[in-house]
Amino acid sequence: MTQETLDVAVIGAGVVGAAVASSLATRGFDVALLEAESRACTGISSRNSGVIHSGLYYPRNSLKAQSCVRGQTLLYEWCERFQVAHKQIGKLVVGELNALEALLSGALDNGARGCRLVTAGELAAMEASLTSHPGALFCEFSGIVDAHELTSSLIANAVHQGATYVTSSKLKEVGQGARGWELITSRGPLVAERVVNAAGLHVDDVAAMFGVESPTIYPCRGDYFRWRTQRTFKHLIYPVKSQQERGLGVHLTLELDGGLKLGPDSEYVNSKNDFGPAPHKLGQFVQAAERLFGAIEPSRLHWDSCGIRPKLRGPDDADEKDFVLLEKPAGVIHMLGIESPGLTAALALAESVDERL
């Protein structure tokens, strides 16, 4: 660890923290990016489905809406510039026409690009397995990206621009001295004038070290099942999200290597480390898949993985919560509740942090 006083310390080297460090270093800040684990992208980002979202469901002028729409444009530009693996394959959201019309209206209010309604006939021509739906909302600019490769490229750029990247540097203690914030980590001490807390699921734990009582983080687990089928698909396929749904509903995600996954679902859990297998969810995933695609063979579905979202929306809350950038105390920004569409929004959120610093 350096004995010099840094401009900014960024805590957490997931995709959001990496984007913040890259952006700040590019602008000339002296930055340290601290990761508690032995390598980057082992938390939320490592379990991300890699979907590039368009900004459909978020309230107008919310930080989620603004950062998702802006972030989508920035993300494609970044992937092209740094040759990060990605594909713009588009998304189809299926459901009743009145729900699709309302969804399109909200998307256009948010400035989402390339969104339009398609008829049942157009939908069947686009995807042979979608013949039972009255229509769909097509989002041309939705896509998929390799989340690990994206995070690595952001870290590499941060280091290239002069940032210091330190793994196995779990934050243990925080103090404030004459030169700035004194951060005691498992790799030694450092001093920074300003701090960005991008610790994902543990953002509230880090905030508490600064004496800040942050909004509660509710761990919300989402499981994925791999679908081995002879059917072929060209697009991401989603159901219309209901107000009661804590996620976007179980949907079909295409992977860059051609694999297919269904998920994630939404289940509030007590532990931030509850990543054990859940094959017992097979029945509900079969039902969710059949609502989209008709009858399928359950033997073709197998539990694959899971992730945990850092939700600000509690189990009894009626509405979703916006992203929160909490500056408290002065010079310390806590990035709270950065769940979906956090990967899409990462570069735009980094811009917002830049502006505040």
Side-chain angles (χ1 to χ4, degrees), residues 12-237:
V15 66
V16 174
V20 170
S22 173
S23 180
L24 291 173
T26 299
R27 290 187 57 181
F29 286 91
D30 187 8
V31 178
L33 175 61
L34 309 179
E35 170 54 47
E37 303 299 329
S38 60
R39 56 190 174 87
C41 201
T42 59
I44 300 170
S45 299
S46 68
R47 300 169 183 273
N48 193 292
S49 60
V51 171
I52 303 173
H53 290 286
S54 289
L56 305 183
Y57 291 103
Y58 320 115
R60 185 177 183 180
N61 296 324
S62 65
L63 184 55
K64 276 188 177 180
Q66 293 173 342
S67 60
C68 183
V69 172
R70 170 68 175 155
Q72 185 194 73
T73 299
L74 294 174
L75 181 53
Y76 278 121
E77 292 174 353
W78 183 274
C79 289
E80 290 292 338
R81 179 183 174 191
F82 291 96
Q83 299 183 320
V84 176
H86 71 290
K87 290 182 181 178
Q88 183 187 319
I89 58 176
K91 174 194 296 183
L92 289 163
V93 184
V94 298
E96 297 301 321
L97 293 179
N98 59 345
L100 295 174
E101 289 169 354
L103 188 57
L104 175 60
S105 177
L108 296 177
D109 281 347
N110 286 340
R113 301 184 295 160
C115 296
R116 62 181 177 87
L117 295 178
V118 297
T119 65
E122 291 175 295
L123 177 60
M126 296 171 78
E127 290 287 358
S129 293
L130 298 179
T131 58
S132 62
H133 300 281
L137 174 63
F138 177 52
C139 305
E140 176 186 355
F141 288 95
S142 290
I144 50 177
V145 64
D146 186 319
H148 286 84
E149 195 173 316
L150 173 62
T151 306
S152 295
S153 72
L154 290 162
I155 294 172
N157 185 66
V159 172
H160 178 71
Q161 299 294 339
T164 302
Y165 170 48
V166 189
T167 57
S168 302
S169 55
K170 182 178 177 63
L171 186 64
K172 300 171 70 175
E173 188 178 337
V174 173
Q176 192 168 19
R179 295 190 298 149
W181 292 101
E182 299 173 349
L183 308 181
I184 308 301
T185 80
S186 49
R187 291 285 294 276
L190 63 83
V191 179
E193 291 183 8
R194 286 159 284 187
V195 178
V196 178
N197 173 10
L201 273 170
H202 301 282
V203 64
D204 52 344
D205 302 323
V206 172
M209 294 186 186
F210 287 87
V212 175
E213 185 176 348
S214 75
T216 300
I217 296 294
Y218 297 94
C220 185
R221 173 174 166 142
D223 285 272
Y224 295 91
F225 274 67
R226 186 160 297 281
W227 189 14
R228 294 182 171 87
T229 177
Q230 298 301 313
R231 302 191 203 186
T232 59
F233 296 91
K234 300 176 182 177
H235 307 88
L236 302 161
I237 300 171

Side-chain angles (χ1 to χ4, degrees), residues 309-345:
R309 312 168 182 90
K311 277 195 170 291
L312 293 176
R313 178 183 183 178
D316 300 321
D317 291 336
D319 299 309
E320 283 294 343
K321 306 296 184 183
D322 200 5
F323 294 155
V324 173
L325 301 185
L326 175 66
E327 187 171 358
K328 188 177 181 182
V332 181
I333 296 178
H334 307 279
M335 306 185 73
L336 295 153
I338 313 297
E339 50 160 334
S340 179
L343 180 144
T344 307

Side-chain angles (χ1 to χ4, degrees), residues 242 296 318 350:
S242 69
I296 68 168

Side-chain angles (χ1 to χ4, degrees), residues 234-312:
K234 300 176 182 177
H235 307 88
L236 302 161
I237 300 171
Y238 285 62
V240 172
K241 178 184 183 298
S242 69
Q243 181 69 19
Q244 291 73 35
E245 181 63 51
R246 266 46 181 174
L248 296 180
V250 171
H251 51 269
L252 180 72
T253 298
L254 281 66
E255 297 178 306
L256 289 165
D257 63 2
L260 300 175
K261 288 201 299 188
L262 287 163
D265 63 348
S266 298
E267 176 193 5
Y268 285 98
V269 292
N270 294 322
S271 171
K272 295 178 180 180
N273 301 301
D274 181 11
F275 296 115
H280 64 278
K281 291 186 175 183
L282 174 62
Q284 69 188 64
F285 272 77
V286 169
Q287 292 178 1
E290 291 186 335
R291 285 194 290 270
L292 289 173
F293 308 112
I296 68 168
E297 297 179 37
S299 62
R300 297 283 187 174
L301 282 182
H302 302 275
W303 185 85
D304 183 78
S305 60
C306 72
I308 298 180
R309 312 168 182 90
K311 277 195 170 291
L312 293 176

